[in-house]
Amino acid sequence: MEADLVLFHPYDRWGFASMNDKENDLYISYVMNRLAGYHNVWWSLADGWDADQNKNLKDWEHYADLLVRKDPYHHLRSIHNYREVYDSTRPWITHASIHIDDLYKSAEYADHFRVRFHKPVIMDDLGSEGNLPNGWGSLSPEEMTRRFWETAIARGISRP
């Protein structure tokens, strides 16, 4: 069992999204010191990196560099998108973690990203079962199951 640990996200209510550069560096160092010893952790640098108005691409690359330097065990590393998929060819990224908002398909994109990035792909957000007005939150149980099976079995995508 892997623990996908999300370090930053733009929709927090505790103040992590508005920390300054020094506080972010200390936070990453603290998390590495506390959690890097667990073998089953994978670092997801952000959930919705492109939705965070307080950080730019240079910031994300700086935090990724710090993450790599501070992790003595070289855990798996990814960064999750909101709209714009991060350039997963970056050397610090071990696997692409992809979120796609598509009413009709999502798993089908796995092949495209595997070829584009030459790395394993995790379709990290296939949508949600429910009755939300947004398309991604109104999938039927059958469609949600199809997406899981399509991604994991038919496309051969598994844990990197």
Side-chain angles (χ1 to χ4, degrees):
M1 176 83 55
E2 290 288 322
D4 178 5
L5 197 131
V6 178
L7 296 173
F8 296 101
H9 56 81
Y11 43 80
D12 100 285
R13 58 183 178 265
W14 304 279
F16 288 96
S18 60
M19 293 188 303
N20 64 39
D21 293 338
K22 183 179 179 182
E23 291 168 330
N24 285 328
D25 288 359
L26 288 170
Y27 167 65
I28 291 172
S29 294
Y30 174 78
V31 170
M32 292 299 108
N33 290 336
R34 294 283 296 173
L35 302 174
Y38 291 98
H39 72 280
N40 62 325
V41 169
W42 111 36
W43 309 118
S44 183
L45 190 55
D47 185 12
W49 73 272
D50 52 329
D52 192 327
Q53 301 301 308
N54 297 316
K55 296 173 185 67
N56 59 39
L57 193 56
K58 184 179 174 184
D59 294 327
W60 291 120
E61 288 297 311
H62 166 75
Y63 301 137
D65 178 62
L66 186 60
L67 184 74
V68 170
R69 285 188 290 116
K70 294 282 184 177
D71 182 4
Y73 302 108
H74 312 290
H75 290 84
L76 298 174
R77 297 175 304 273
S78 65
I79 188 166
H80 191 268
N81 65 295
Y82 175 61
R83 296 258 186 242
E84 184 181 344
V85 175
Y86 205 90
D87 178 9
S88 291
T89 62
R90 304 292 301 139
W92 65 268
I93 295 176
T94 59
H95 62 284
S97 177
I98 309 291
H99 165 92
I100 294 291
D101 278 334
D102 190 306
L103 293 178
Y104 305 104
K105 58 185 179 177
S106 61
E108 293 81 355
Y109 289 99
D111 292 336
H112 164 76
F113 289 113
R114 192 171 50 230
V115 169
R116 178 176 165 190
F117 297 131
H118 303 285
K119 290 183 181 174
V121 172
I122 301 292
M123 297 306 288
D124 206 12
D125 192 344
L126 298 170
S128 299
E129 217 178 294
N131 60 358
L132 296 176
N134 315 67
W136 58 263
S138 60
L139 300 177
S140 69
E142 294 81 10
E143 176 59 14
M144 194 76 227
T145 301
R146 183 201 70 79
R147 289 179 181 209
F148 282 127
W149 280 98
E150 174 75 16
T151 302
I153 305 304
R155 303 267 171 205
I157 308 301
S158 64
R159 186 179 151 253

